[in-house]
Each structure stands twice: as structure tokens, then as C-alpha cells.
Amino acid sequence: MFQLANASRAPNVHPTINKHRSAQEKRLLANYVPVYVMLPLGVVTIENVLNDKQGLEKQLLKLKDAGVDGVMVDVWWGIIEAKGPKQYDWTAYRNLFQLVQQSGLRLQAIMSFHQCGGNVGDIVNIPLPDWVLKVGETDPDIFYTDKSGNRNKEYLSIGVDNKPLFGGRTAVQIYSDYMKSFRESMSDFLEAEVISDIEVGLGPAGELRYPSYPQSLGWVFPGIGEFQCYDKYLTEEFNEAAKKGGHPEWELPDDAGSYNDTPEVTEFFKPNGTYTTDKGKFFLTWYSLKLIGHGDEILEEANKAFLGCKVKLAAKVSGIHWWYKSDDHAAELTAGYYNLDDRDGYRPIARMLSRHDAILNFTCLEMRDSEQPANAKSGPQELVQQVLSGGWRENIRVAGENALSRYDKDAYNQILLNARPNGINKAGKPKLKMSGVTYLRLSDDLLEDKAFNLFKKFVRKMHADQDYCGNPAEYHNDVYPMQPSEPKFSWEELLDATKPIPPFPFDEVTDDPVGDDDNDDDDECPSSDVIGMLNQKIKKYFSIQVMTTALVMTYFGFICKEWR
């Protein structure tokens, strides 16, 4: 096993702050939420080479100086096992991990079993290993398939989880072998506690969902997407389930519309449509439980692979906020989240994660309802509130990410609100607090002086205005050696978690926002992103303060608290 050269002389990744914390500072430290930054998608190239090592080192040190706790990185299956089955090459990632360690940062590693390319924000292309794609040339049903027969090569279909189609191995065995090899090759980083989390990729974009809204097949926001269960393996499984359920005549939906439809034009999602019938409910229950079972099985393999390591497992759930305020929740349903106003589709996922002591990582933390187009019936704020509440009710840690790159105070303050929904508790640990937030993503735009100064203030606020803390136990993020997963939940126990419970109350705004006590040049009118953007444009091109104020007040009728 390849060991880190001079590992004993590597900098301590958890340096102790060289100061004595007062009793009050220790109480405030209980409100500390660590901040990670996601590395670029192509930080390791398709050729398995660490990209621009010197430039990356400077960026990592800049993050460390800003108080950032760590970074997140995709560890791509399509790179590591590209040469053939069980031919793993971890060299470039070892170089990367060593660089992260030397920078004094922690690391969240994503077991990325999906393709990079074809989704929002994908700027590089990293397909699945070629030897896997070749199996698909003779058996295209290994890929997710829509009702029109379109194949999606982002991720292997759940239908082949336990089919020995890959040189005698099943998909689950492939994922398991990969994670075992990762542990063996990265054992020194695990022992040094450089790696804090292992996020297990469970679907497209690494998320536990079906690829229901692929841009590669023409999907455009806010289309409802399509069900992805028409490969022969999942079709056979559904037919068998329908037969056992006493309805052999039931078939997979053929009335759910196409990717860019709105709910009401389809027979399935229209008011009192198929989704409200016994047939529709049976299908949606089967579809969603298949997804949960898939995640459960692979997380159990991850637990076995990392047993005894001081790391936390994590799984990512997608923030599908469009059509959330529609009775049918169509976009969530096609993605596999059977969530309705009278049925919680996320707490069963949290319950499943609880048996692996895994973190639920959720997206779209930065989004507000007011920023979304009215025709999409979006509800990102309510969705985040529901999902996080479900995780807390199941006694697991919840973490999150922003869905889109944002550099403004409104986005940061929304993340701060979700990270501590009821604000800072000056007496100690708050009742509700996220275990961490990962900012998407490291880029030249983020590191530009003005944007980075604001980001540093955001990090400080996430830390409850306390200095960087290298000991997670001090802010109640203790990590213990991984124990075996608890016994499986029955389907009945999972379905019991679908009973809706009102979410925990969230404050309307964060109690410690970025910007309240600083005098930045980029202060915007808090009530409108559009006005803020217009203000900046006018200042840039005209540099006339009076004209700026007059134009904004004339055309929008808002009174902004500060113009500079």
C-alpha cells in the first residue's frame, strides 16, 4: 500500500487555536457551523492528472486564511477505474489529498459513480468507465430508460444493482469494490482524519434520485420531467410487484406527459389524475421505495468498507423545488420523491439514513421563493424547511449546499438562516443547527477581491463570529469510529415515516446577517435582486450617484437603505 511520504511531518490538519477561549466564547462556539468549499469538477483531469497543482495550492491556502474548514471533491469512477475492472489508479487523487492536508484543510470525498456532463453546472465531461459503456452497447437496458426508449448514460439503472452483468460482478459489487480500494489506498489520510466525510454517490449528479430532468434530452426548467423505469429490468420488477399486489393488469404509466410539460396537461398529474388513484399510488410507492432500497443497499456496503474509520457517511438529496406548491408535486414525483401535501416523501429517506448514522446532504439552501418565476410554483424555502425538519426528527445530522453559484448577501443570508433556523443561542448549543454547509464552488469569480471579501464575512458568520475551530467536538460535531449499520427497516416502518408532521418553525430572517455591521460598497436594496443588479450596472457605466437613486426610485418605487 502506497503511504504518504513524510506523513509524520505533514501539518496538523486540526491545529488548535493559539488562544484561550472565554466561557462565553465556548458557549457561542456551540453555534459554529463548519464551511466547506467544493473544488472544480475537473480538478483531476480525465487523463487522471492533478490540474494546475501550484495554482490550486495558492487557492487552498487562500481558503484556509479565510477560515474555511475544508473542501469537497468528486472522486470520479470514470477516472479511477478507467483502464479496466478492478484496475484502480489513485495517484492523482493522492497528490490532491496531500495538498489539502498540507494546506491544513479537511476533506469531504464523494464516491462519484455518475457521469459528469449533461446537468446544470457541468463544464467538463467525464463519462462512466469505457468497459461499462461497452456492456451497454449489447445490453442498453443497464441504463435508465424513459417511456420513449431514450437511454440515459449518467448512471446505471437501479434495475441492475444485483445483476452480474459486468464480468460477473453486479453494480453494487462494483461500487463496494471501489470503496474498499479507496479505503486501502487512502488509509493514511483516513487515519490522520484529513477525510471527514465519505459522501456516497447514489444517482445522477451524485444524488439519490432518478435522472428525470436531463438537459441532454432537452429538459428545460421548469418542466415536470419523466419517469425513468422503462428498462427491461425495472419493467420486469414492476410487473412482478403488480402481480404480487393482486393487479397483474397494471402497467407502468403511459399518461405522465413529457419532459417539458406542465402538470395539468397530463392525465397522470392533472387534478384528480392518475396519481390520486389506487393504480397511481401503487406505482409511486413502488418507484420511491426502489430508490430508497437502492440507497440503503449501497450505504450498507459503504459502512462495511469504512468500518472502524473516524468518518461520517453522507448521502445527497436533490432540491427539486419547482412544482412544490402544486398539489401534484410532479417534478418531485418523477425524480422518485413521493412527496405530497398529505404525504412526506423525505422523512422515509432520513429514516433509512439513520440506520447507517449517515448525514442527509440537501441542496438549494440559498434559494428564496421570491426569486423564482411564478409559473413554476416553486417553494425552495418550504422544501428546505420540510427536508431538514425530517432529518432532525429522525435524529440524524443534516448538511447542505447551494444549488447555484451565488456571491451576494441575499444568498449568504438565506444559507445562514437555514444553517441556524432559530438563530444563535448565546447560552450554548442551539436546538436546530446544520452540521455543515458546502459552498458551490471554488472559482476565479469567488476569489475575485470583492466577492471573496464578502465570502469571508459569510464564513465568519457561519462560525458564529468565532475564530476557526480545529476540534469538531467543541461545536458538537464529534466523529467516532464507524460502527456496523443497524438492522434494516421494514417497508412498513419506512412508510410510517410518510405521515406528515408540521416542520419545525424557522425564523423569517437570520439573526446574524452578512452586512448588518459592515459598510460594503455592494450593499443592495434587500427587497430586490433586480434593483441591486441595476444599481451596480448604473454605477459602473455612469458613476453618478444621484442618477442611480433617481432611476431606481422612478422605475421601481423602492426606497433602499443605502446607496454608495
Side-chain angles (χ1 to χ4, degrees):
M1 181 172 58
F2 179 73
Q3 294 292 333
L4 174 65
N6 298 320
S8 62
R9 294 190 297 172
N12 183 358
V13 75
H14 313 314
T16 301
I17 297 299
N18 188 23
K19 61 168 285 187
H20 175 72
R21 295 186 190 274
S22 68
Q24 179 58 21
E25 286 174 331
K26 289 179 180 179
R27 287 190 290 268
L28 286 171
L29 193 61
N31 297 271
Y32 185 109
V33 178
V35 177
Y36 289 74
V37 174
M38 196 176 298
L39 295 184
L41 291 168
V43 65
V44 172
T45 70
I46 187 66
E47 293 82 17
N48 207 353
V49 175
L50 179 58
N51 190 24
D52 188 14
K53 184 177 179 179
Q54 290 184 336
L56 179 62
E57 182 178 18
K58 292 179 181 178
Q59 292 178 329
L60 293 177
L61 291 173
K62 192 169 183 178
L63 292 178
K64 181 62 180 177
D65 288 343
V68 168
D69 297 85
V71 294
M72 175 182 275
V73 65
D74 289 278
V75 184
W76 295 105
W77 179 29
I79 293 176
I80 298 300
E81 203 174 354
K83 296 178 181 178
K86 295 189 178 182
Q87 296 183 43
Y88 308 106
D89 183 356
W90 301 99
T91 307
Y93 278 98
R94 284 196 57 82
N95 292 334
L96 172 61
F97 289 10
Q98 184 175 11
L99 200 60
V100 172
Q101 182 180 34
Q102 290 173 341
S103 301
L105 295 164
R106 288 190 182 83
L107 183 69
Q108 297 172 321
I110 309 174
M111 303 291 99
S112 297
F113 299 118
H114 60 287
Q115 166 189 290
C116 182
N119 278 301
V120 176
D122 286 355
I123 58 174
V124 297
N125 183 51
I126 303 172
L128 302 187
D130 188 60
W131 56 272
V132 174
L133 296 176
K134 286 182 178 178
V135 175
E137 291 176 4
T138 55
D139 185 2
D141 287 283
I142 67 171
F143 301 117
Y144 281 118
T145 306
D146 64 24
K147 69 178 185 303
S148 299
N150 296 307
R151 312 290 186 175
N152 189 310
K153 298 180 181 180
E154 290 182 67
Y155 186 83
L156 293 175
S157 167
I158 291 175
V160 300
D161 275 358
N162 296 295
K163 305 288 185 183
L165 304 173
F166 307 93
R169 289 192 297 168
T170 68
V172 170
Q173 288 171 335
I174 289 173
Y175 305 146
S176 177
D177 290 341
Y178 181 93
M179 291 186 285
K180 290 174 182 175
S181 178
F182 178 90
R183 174 178 178 164
E184 180 181 353
S185 299
M186 305 297 184
S187 61
D188 46 336
F189 297 109
L190 288 163
E191 290 166 7
E193 299 179 43
V194 176
I195 302 173
S196 60
D197 303 309
I198 302 291
E199 184 170 292
V200 184
L202 300 171
E207 298 166 338
L208 180 62
R209 64 172 174 87
Y210 295 93
S212 56
Y213 52 101
Q215 287 187 322
S216 60
L217 292 177
W219 174 84
V220 177
F221 178 86
I224 60 174
E226 291 191 23
F227 294 117
Q228 303 288 320
C229 53
Y230 298 86
D231 62 82
K232 69 180 181 183
Y233 299 108
L234 283 177
T235 298
E236 289 171 1
E237 288 192 39
F238 176 78
N239 290 340
E240 183 63 26
K243 183 178 179 180
K244 288 182 178 179
H247 289 279
E249 75 280 6
W250 283 350
E251 297 180 346
L252 293 170
D254 61 0
D255 60 351
S258 56
Y259 290 109
N260 293 316
D261 279 340
T262 55
E264 69 277 1
V265 304
T266 73
E267 289 295 319
F268 194 92
F269 295 114
K270 71 179 184 180
N272 299 314
T274 306
Y275 82 97
T276 67
T277 67
D278 289 342
K279 177 182 176 181
K281 292 176 181 178
F282 179 87
F283 164 73
L284 291 169
T285 301
W286 171 83
Y287 190 67
S288 60
L289 288 179
K290 281 295 299 180
L291 189 67
I292 295 174
H294 166 76
D296 191 29
E297 187 170 9
I298 297 173
L299 284 169
E300 184 159 11
E301 292 301 313
N303 174 274
K304 294 174 183 176
F306 296 103
L307 201 62
C309 297
K310 289 188 70 174
V311 294
K312 292 283 289 185
L313 295 180
K316 186 175 177 182
V317 174
S318 183
I320 301 179
H321 54 87
W322 53 105
W323 304 112
Y324 181 85
K325 291 186 176 181
S326 178
D327 290 343
D328 49 79
H329 291 245
E332 293 168 273
L333 267 53
T334 57
Y337 305 137
Y338 189 6
N339 189 55
L340 298 171
D341 294 346
D342 60 354
R343 189 187 195 281
D344 194 327
Y346 299 98
R347 199 155 60 90
I349 297 174
R351 181 163 294 183
M352 177 271 288
L353 294 176
S354 71
R355 88 174 188 94
H356 308 290
D357 193 26
I359 298 169
L360 190 161
N361 186 21
F362 197 60
T363 61
C364 76
L365 293 187
E366 85 285 11
M367 292 185 176
R368 299 179 301 166
D369 293 4
S370 61
E371 298 167 344
Q372 309 306 316
N375 66 312
K377 296 188 177 180
S378 289
Q381 291 175 251
E382 294 82 359
L383 175 60
V384 169
Q385 185 178 8
Q386 177 190 348
V387 175
L388 299 191
S389 294
W392 284 318
R393 291 193 189 281
E394 295 299 321
N395 297 311
I396 64 172
R397 295 182 186 180
V398 296
E401 304 171 4
N402 50 307
L404 302 173
S405 294
R406 294 274 296 268
Y407 313 100
D408 60 286
K409 290 179 183 177
D410 286 339
Y412 289 142
N413 287 332
Q414 188 62 33
I415 295 172
L416 282 162
L417 171 61
N418 289 322
R420 289 186 294 262
N422 305 133
I424 289 175
N425 179 8
K426 295 182 179 179
K429 183 181 179 182
K431 178 182 178 182
L432 302 176
K433 185 188 76 166
M434 298 183 72
S435 68
V437 166
T438 301
Y439 176 82
L440 183 152
R441 88 178 50 242
L442 179 62
S443 67
D444 291 339
D445 289 337
L446 175 65
L447 297 177
E448 184 270 328
D449 286 347
K450 190 173 182 180
F452 198 62
N453 286 337
L454 187 59
F455 177 74
K456 287 190 289 187
K457 292 170 184 174
F458 164 69
V459 172
R460 181 78 179 178
K461 295 298 184 181
M462 288 290 291
H463 291 171
D465 290 309
Q466 301 303 297
D467 290 334
Y468 166 82
C469 180
N471 181 6
E474 292 189 51
Y475 49 87
H476 304 280
N477 269 21
D478 315 61
V479 179
Y480 303 100
M482 191 174 296
Q483 300 296 309
S485 295
E486 297 291 333
K488 281 182 177 288
F489 289 106
S490 67
W491 296 129
E492 291 78 13
E493 289 173 313
L494 291 175
L495 290 173
D496 181 67
T498 65
K499 296 175 183 176
I501 300 175
F504 291 113
F506 279 30
D507 295 344
E508 291 187 8
V509 295
T510 178
D511 65 333
D512 191 22
V514 171
D516 261 16
D517 57 353
D518 47 46
N519 296 312
D520 300 308
D521 291 337
D522 60 342
D523 279 352
E524 304 126 325
C525 177
S527 57
S528 173
D529 291 337
V530 175
I531 296 173
M533 291 170 62
L534 178 61
N535 181 33
Q536 292 175 21
K537 293 292 185 183
I538 294 173
K539 286 190 290 184
K540 179 177 180 181
Y541 291 106
F542 295 97
S543 301
I544 301 176
Q545 195 169 15
V546 174
M547 182 181 292
T548 301
T549 305
L551 282 172
V552 172
M553 295 186 68
T554 300
Y555 286 99
F556 294 92
F558 286 96
I559 299 177
C560 294
K561 66 177 182 181
E562 185 176 8
W563 295 92
R564 297 190 181 278

